[in-house]
């Protein structure tokens, strides 16, 4: 198969894509179109290496590696190349918790203070299931990522961080919640969550190279992760301490082959009882009687063809990942990339539409604005971001380090875009007592895409802005 010569930064030429054995011939897959698309996007997005897997009914029908796992040594990506999972690892933490639930060592409806008696009294209403489906209201503290922590030491900044809202009031993504789940697994079960996974998930499913991240261990076929700076150059992933690179919020090594075996297990609903799998795929109940489309480590959605989707993405230490299951069709697509510049949602959407046109995402469409007061409030906030007049009193629910990053990146993006027109609403979703809204605006130098979570009075909890490029995937949580 002819390969495009992709010119990488540092003057490197893209390594020939590593063609992997396929389980059987499949005439439905437009292999050439998919390969061309991935290679073109790698060049445009400046991604050194990508692993792609397309599975149907638990079997791989396309496994392909593109580019380099390691730029310095020019090692190509293969089926057994190890990538960091990022937050895809949360679905495995959910499995570890449910195994202990079935063992009778954990109770989904017990207060987490049952397992963490030193936790703040305000945590008493938070149940185990609230941590699993991100409705516990726990914020993320600023941590020293070079420091080694014991479990009890790590709990102290978690306990100190402000609780964002009462449990089940709304959905809010929380890495703290999942890291806490890993600690609870050890305290209740007597084993490190990674050992639980190794013995009771990875081994039974044949995931031979899956494991928790370790810089010290000799890990065959390990990919490097890369950061792409403002000037377009690569740098290696920064150091993270051993303890913080082993937390249960997404600290795993997995290859495309490992994911194939994982997908087969998920498809068969292996290792757990049927009622446990129902809990995993149940949308998160909220206290106003509604629900949010997230289970235990799985985001839930509707496919363009009307079918059901289970999916999750990940981002950590120079890696970007995305896994999506088209449940009704038995099709699963996986993208693993080793660069912070990778838009894995765009990659996955493009692969999916070339695999089956029914999976083509519709172009974003403007909708009627049911809350013009919230739009006006968002416009005022964006003006303050651009002017650099936000203070620490703005967005108090976001940790200081992340809040400053949001301020800085938002101001830079808005400065590059120049003067923008009115905001148009493209989606408006209720999240308990909040509205999650996505906007676009035509600006002098491009298209602004903004996403905000707002209270009824127009006070924003979160705000993200980016410059939208043609064909770019919509911004996602």
């Amino acid at each position: 198969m002819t390969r495009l010569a992709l010119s990488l930064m540092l003057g490197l030429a893209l390594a020939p894509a590593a063609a992997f054995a396929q389980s059987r011939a499949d005439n439905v897959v437009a292999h050439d179109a998919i390969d061309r698309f991935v290679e073109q996007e790698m060049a445009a997005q400046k991604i050194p290496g990508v692993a792609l897997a397309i599975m149907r009914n638990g079997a791989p029908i396309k496994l392909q590696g593109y580019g380099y796992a390691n730029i310095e040594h020019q090692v190509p990506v293969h089926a057994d190349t190890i990538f960091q999972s990022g937050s895809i690892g949360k679905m495995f933490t959910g499995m570890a918790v449910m195994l202990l639930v079935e063992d009778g060592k954990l109770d989904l409806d017990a207060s987490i203070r049952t397992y963490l008696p030193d936790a703040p009294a305000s945590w008493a209403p938070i149940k185990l299931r609230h941590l699993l489906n991100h409705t516990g209201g726990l914020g993320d503290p600023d941590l020293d990522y070079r420091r080694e922590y014991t479990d009890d030491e790590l709990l102290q900044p978690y306990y100190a961080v402000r609780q964002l809202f009462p449990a089940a009031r709304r959905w809010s993504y929380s890495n703290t919640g999942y890291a806490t789940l890993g600690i609870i697994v050890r305290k209740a079960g007597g084993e490190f969550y990674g050992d639980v996974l190794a013995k009771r998930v990875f081994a039974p499913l044949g995931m031979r190279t899956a494991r928790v991240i370790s810089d010290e261990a000799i890990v065959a076929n390990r990919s490097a992760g890369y950061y792409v700076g403002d000037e377009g150059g690569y740098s290696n992933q920064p150091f993270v301490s051993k303890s913080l690179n082993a937390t249960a919020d997404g600290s795993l090594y997995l290859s495309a082959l490992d994911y194939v075996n994982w997908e087969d297990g998920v498809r068969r609903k292996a290792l757990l009882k049927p009622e446990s799998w129902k809990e995993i795929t149940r949308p998160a109940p909220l206290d106003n009687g509604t629900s949010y489309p997230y289970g235990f480590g799985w985001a839930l959605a509707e496919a363009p063809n009307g079918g059901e989707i289970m999916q999750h993405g990940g981002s950590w230490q120079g890696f970007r990942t995305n896994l999506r299951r088209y449940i009704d069709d038995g099709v699963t697509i996986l993208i693993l990339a080793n660069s912070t510049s990778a838009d894995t949602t765009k990659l996955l959407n493009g692969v999916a539409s070339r695999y089956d046109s029914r999976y083509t995402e519709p172009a974003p469409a403007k909708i009627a604005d049911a809350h013009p007061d919230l739009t006006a409030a968002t416009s005022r906030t964006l003006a303050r971001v651009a002017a650099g007049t936000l203070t620490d009193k703005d967005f108090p629910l976001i940790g200081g380090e992340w809040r400053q990053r949001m301020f800085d990146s938002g101001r830079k993006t808005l400065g590059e875009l120049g003067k923008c027109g009115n905001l148009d609403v493209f989606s408006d979703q209720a999240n308990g007592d909040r509205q999650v809204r996505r906007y676009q605006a035509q600006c002098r130098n491009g298209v602004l895409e903004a996403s905000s979570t707002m209270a009824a009075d127009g006070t924003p909890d979160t705000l993200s802005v980016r410059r939208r490029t043609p064909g770019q995937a919509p911004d996602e949580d």
Side-chain angles (χ1 to χ4, degrees):
M1 180 181 296
T2 301
R3 290 285 173 259
L4 299 177
L6 300 183
S7 177
L8 293 180
M9 289 174 288
L10 310 178
L12 298 174
L14 180 67
F20 307 136
Q22 298 173 14
S23 61
R24 59 186 174 85
D26 193 307
N27 294 327
V28 177
V29 181
H31 295 282
D32 288 346
I34 290 173
D35 291 335
R36 285 194 300 271
F37 168 75
V38 172
E39 291 172 333
Q40 288 166 359
E41 285 302 315
M42 287 175 66
Q45 298 184 33
K46 301 187 177 0
I47 308 170
V50 166
L52 163 68
I54 302 177
M55 297 154 268
R56 191 166 63 194
N57 298 327
I61 57 177
K62 184 175 180 66
L63 284 171
Q64 193 79 36
Y66 307 84
Y68 287 123
N70 186 292
I71 294 175
E72 293 162 303
H73 299 288
Q74 300 191 27
V75 178
V77 175
H78 292 288
D80 56 359
T81 297
I82 305 293
F83 288 77
Q84 291 187 21
S85 67
S87 286
I88 285 181
K90 289 180 170 66
M91 61 185 68
F92 295 95
T93 300
M95 283 290 293
V97 169
M98 293 308 298
L99 286 166
L100 267 64
V101 168
E102 292 191 357
D103 291 345
K105 296 178 179 178
L106 292 175
D107 181 346
L108 290 175
D109 293 308
S111 166
I112 58 176
R113 293 191 80 226
T114 304
Y115 312 105
L116 302 173
D118 294 331
S122 61
W123 285 27
I126 304 174
K127 300 176 182 178
L128 202 63
R129 68 168 66 251
H130 293 144
L131 298 188
L132 286 161
N133 60 25
H134 295 298
T135 61
L138 299 185
D140 294 325
D142 296 332
L143 297 172
D144 179 357
Y145 283 92
R146 302 181 70 86
R147 175 185 165 182
E148 295 293 351
Y149 294 83
T150 66
D151 282 355
D152 288 336
E153 288 172 343
L154 186 54
L155 285 171
Q156 298 315 304
Y158 291 169
Y159 292 163
V161 75
R162 176 183 175 184
Q163 189 173 350
L164 307 182
F165 51 83
R169 180 63 48 84
R170 69 185 82 104
W171 183 92
S172 181
Y173 197 85
S174 174
N175 286 313
T176 294
Y178 265 77
T180 302
L181 284 169
I183 295 172
I184 289 174
V185 166
R186 193 200 298 259
K187 289 183 177 292
E191 280 189 296
F192 173 52
Y193 91 99
D195 293 335
V196 174
L197 290 176
K199 296 174 184 177
R200 303 184 63 179
V201 178
F202 300 156
L205 295 182
M207 301 170 66
R208 293 182 296 175
T209 57
R211 56 163 296 156
V212 171
I213 292 171
S214 171
D215 289 337
E216 297 174 352
I218 303 300
V219 178
N221 307 310
R222 171 167 35 194
S223 174
Y226 296 100
Y227 279 61
V228 177
D230 292 340
E231 302 302 319
Y234 289 122
S235 62
N236 285 305
Q237 62 196 62
F239 173 81
V240 173
S241 69
K242 181 178 179 180
S243 58
L244 291 183
N245 234 343
T247 51
D249 53 337
S251 302
L252 300 177
Y253 280 148
L254 297 154
S255 70
L257 291 176
D258 290 324
Y259 283 104
V260 168
N261 288 324
W262 168 243
E263 162 58 21
D264 183 56
V266 174
R267 182 187 64 86
R268 293 185 290 107
K269 293 182 169 56
L271 307 179
L272 294 172
K273 298 175 182 178
E275 52 266 35
S276 294
W277 278 106
K278 286 182 181 179
E279 289 283 6
I280 286 173
T281 57
R282 177 189 179 193
L286 302 178
D287 63 7
N288 67 354
T290 64
S291 64
Y292 193 87
Y294 193 96
F296 293 173
W298 288 95
L300 312 173
E302 181 178 315
N305 66 340
E308 294 182 11
I309 281 177
M310 293 170 61
Q311 61 187 349
H312 216 289
S315 173
W316 182 240
Q317 269 201 305
F319 290 88
R320 298 288 186 269
T321 58
N322 216 316
L323 175 69
R324 183 182 301 165
R325 306 184 70 239
Y326 296 89
I327 300 171
D328 301 270
D329 297 339
V331 172
T332 296
I333 301 175
L334 168 74
I335 298 287
L336 306 174
N338 62 352
S339 172
T340 56
S341 62
D343 182 344
T344 55
T345 300
K346 182 181 181 183
L347 280 166
L348 199 154
N349 286 347
V351 169
S353 65
R354 287 161 177 79
Y355 171 78
D356 188 329
S357 61
R358 297 177 306 135
Y359 299 160
T360 301
E361 295 287 335
K366 177 182 174 181
I367 63 174
D369 191 349
H371 303 280
D373 52 330
L374 297 185
T375 301
T378 301
S379 294
R380 291 193 295 270
T381 302
L382 286 170
R384 294 185 62 208
V385 172
T389 59
L390 294 174
T391 71
D392 289 344
K393 294 181 180 179
D394 294 294
F395 301 98
L397 301 186
I398 302 176
E401 176 186 353
W402 296 103
R403 183 170 60 243
Q404 191 58 51
R405 288 186 187 181
M406 181 184 74
F407 292 172
D408 293 343
S409 65
R411 188 179 186 187
K412 179 177 182 291
T413 298
L414 291 171
E416 293 171 347
L417 283 167
K419 185 176 180 178
C420 296
N422 294 332
L423 292 175
D424 293 325
V425 183
F426 280 74
S427 73
D428 192 356
Q429 179 183 9
N431 176 12
D433 61 347
R434 294 292 190 268
Q435 289 296 128
V436 181
R437 318 193 83 211
R438 302 190 193 280
Y439 300 95
Q440 286 187 17
Q442 185 63 52
C443 306
R444 180 184 297 118
N445 301 317
V447 176
L448 164 69
E449 185 175 85
S451 174
S452 67
T453 302
M454 308 193 78
D457 64 359
T459 302
D461 287 345
T462 65
L463 177 70
S464 67
V465 298
R466 73 173 183 175
R467 181 176 184 168
R468 185 173 176 84
T469 58
Q472 190 173 26
D475 190 23
E476 294 190 353
D477 290 324

